[in-house]
Amino acid sequence: MATISTALRTQFKEPTKEQLTEIFFSLPSSESLGKIDKSNDQQVEKMDINTVLSLSVQGIEDSYAGKLYLIAPYLAFASLDRKSMRFTIPLSTIRRVERLNARAGIYALSLSTWHGHKIIVQLTSLRTTADLFCSLLRDALKIELQRGQMKLVKPFVKTCYSEALVSNSSSVADNEREDGSLISEEKENAAPRESTYHGGLGLRFKFPGDPKKLREASKIKLWATYLRSHGRNLTLLRYPQCTRLVQVGLPNRLRGEMWETLSGSIYLRFSNPGYYDDLLKKNEGRTTTSTEDIEKDLHRSLPEYAGYQSEEGIGALRRVLQAYSFRNPELGYCQV
């Protein structure tokens, strides 16, 4: 039987209720937020409240009983079974909050998100509790407005491929070839297509694997339908269908974004614009044991992939590995 080291036993602590909530909703931990963003001194008390959530999708209205959590700067919801529906959205993506004229004894709000979805929230707790929750929500929204986070949503979502995929003016899904390239990119004498979204080396060097066996085009269309109906990137609503689509497989162009969204790292990138570039600039020219080990392994990483046989690909890999070693010096670099 494997034994646990003394150091690990002494350092390990059972996660608190607050930490378990953060993990469930894929939220950045309070500690990690504190290390990166020290500019926000204003804080709003955390609170959760019993709720019945109503959403209208393609003309069909669904209702879910559960809990609504205010964990500024985020709003999160989980159904009672914690499976049927849940979401985590930054408060800065909420464009409008209205108190509904409901019958006596019913306290309801209408929330409009950046991507045009309307969420009806019926607060089923006592009136005093509902009043307190609404007061805290109002204060948290004001803080986000003052910080300027709401202005950052538009440029941020442009870095996400899902925006191009579901845009009414975009034909990306229809133009997607099995190998992940776009038909418009292969027109004779056509200029290289400029994209605002982050696509990685695959956009230039193609994606690995047999695209026909991977059914890339079919997956893209399935995901486009889901993201168009249930939000995307910062405002994604997670139903069981989302889990099933992940199990079927992620199309290459969406893989990075969906990993970022479902893991919660998208919230760190959104809350800390420019952090990656600033970290590299601050440590430019710095040499450590980790950077030396990284240089030894760079040309041995996936040598069969064309992207890592080019200076562009090697440079991108170097920057990512070095940035991580600078961000987490205790771990530095570890070859897996």
Side-chain angles (χ1 to χ4, degrees):
M1 180 182 292
T3 58
I4 302 176
S5 68
T6 304
L8 183 58
R9 285 201 303 270
T10 56
Q11 293 175 10
F12 178 78
K13 295 180 181 178
E14 286 290 338
T16 64
K17 182 180 179 181
E18 180 179 322
Q19 290 172 330
L20 290 173
T21 300
E22 289 174 348
I23 293 170
F24 178 77
F25 287 114
S26 303
L27 289 171
S29 66
S30 304
E31 291 80 3
S32 65
L33 282 176
K35 289 179 182 178
I36 296 179
D37 184 7
K38 299 180 181 179
S39 62
N40 183 22
D41 296 328
Q42 296 175 290
Q43 292 186 349
V44 174
E45 180 185 348
K46 298 177 181 179
M47 184 177 179
D48 60 76
I49 190 169
N50 294 328
T51 312
V52 174
L53 208 74
S54 298
L55 302 108
S56 181
V57 178
Q58 296 178 342
I60 302 174
E61 186 169 308
D62 289 322
S63 296
Y64 302 90
K67 275 194 174 183
L68 188 64
Y69 297 78
L70 177 60
I71 312 173
Y74 305 99
L75 191 68
F77 173 82
S79 56
L80 290 177
D81 61 4
R82 299 173 78 84
K83 295 179 182 179
S84 298
M85 209 282 278
R86 63 178 165 131
F87 65 70
T88 305
I89 58 176
L91 291 171
S92 50
T93 63
I94 297 177
R95 283 295 176 257
R96 189 180 183 87
V97 180
E98 295 179 281
R99 169 78 188 277
L100 299 181
N101 294 322
R103 62 184 181 273
I106 301 297
Y107 204 121
L109 301 174
S110 172
L111 309 178
S112 299
T113 69
W114 170 263
H115 288 119
H117 292 89
K118 184 171 286 189
I119 303 172
I120 306 300
V121 178
Q122 181 179 319
L123 307 178
T124 56
S125 296
L126 295 175
R127 178 63 181 266
T128 53
T129 305
D131 283 337
L132 176 59
F133 185 89
C134 290
S135 177
L136 293 174
L137 177 60
R138 181 179 63 249
D139 292 344
L141 287 168
K142 284 183 178 179
I143 290 174
E144 289 303 284
L145 185 61
Q146 292 167 359
R147 291 178 62 211
Q149 283 298 110
M150 293 178 177
K151 295 179 180 178
L152 300 179
V153 176
K154 185 175 182 179
F156 181 87
V157 297
K158 286 183 178 179
T159 67
C160 300
Y161 172 63
S162 57
E163 293 298 308
L165 181 64
V166 306
S167 171
N168 292 329
S169 60
S170 171
S171 56
V172 168
D174 295 329
N175 286 341
E176 192 94 18
R177 289 193 185 279
E178 285 288 349
D179 64 356
S181 65
L182 299 180
I183 295 173
S184 56
E185 290 178 344
E186 300 186 4
K187 292 180 180 178
E188 188 174 357
N189 300 322
R193 184 186 180 95
E194 290 292 332
S195 61
T196 58
Y197 56 83
H198 297 171
L201 295 175
L203 294 179
R204 182 175 177 83
F205 298 98
K206 306 299 182 188
F207 295 98
D210 185 335
K212 290 187 177 180
K213 290 182 179 179
L214 294 174
R215 297 176 296 154
E216 287 290 293
S218 300
K219 292 176 185 176
I220 277 286
K221 290 181 179 179
L222 288 172
W223 275 101
T225 300
Y226 183 90
L227 298 175
R228 188 175 289 112
S229 301
H230 305 303
R232 49 201 176 273
N233 46 75
L234 292 175
T235 67
L236 181 69
L237 307 180
R238 295 172 65 172
Y239 294 87
Q241 184 187 356
C242 179
T243 302
R244 289 195 293 270
L245 285 174
V246 172
Q247 291 170 340
V248 168
L250 289 161
N252 283 318
R253 281 180 179 266
L254 264 177
R255 186 178 301 279
E257 179 185 330
M258 292 309 301
W259 178 89
E260 188 181 41
T261 301
L262 298 176
S263 70
S265 63
I266 192 171
Y267 308 126
L268 278 175
R269 181 163 71 89
F270 173 63
S271 301
N272 301 277
Y275 179 81
Y276 175 71
D277 293 328
D278 291 343
L279 182 64
L280 289 172
K281 187 175 181 180
K282 179 181 177 182
N283 292 279
E284 187 175 2
R286 179 183 171 192
T287 301
T288 66
T289 303
S290 293
T291 60
E292 292 174 354
D293 290 340
I294 289 169
E295 289 300 320
K296 294 176 185 177
D297 287 341
L298 281 176
H299 293 278
R300 295 185 291 190
S301 300
L302 298 174
E304 69 278 5
Y305 183 55
Y308 292 136
Q309 298 304 308
S310 70
E311 283 305 313
E312 179 183 353
I314 291 295
L317 182 60
R318 177 186 291 113
R319 289 191 294 274
V320 169
L321 295 176
Q322 288 187 352
Y324 184 85
S325 71
F326 297 144
R327 176 73 178 91
N328 296 285
E330 291 184 3
L331 179 59
Y333 170 69
C334 179
Q335 186 184 46
V336 179

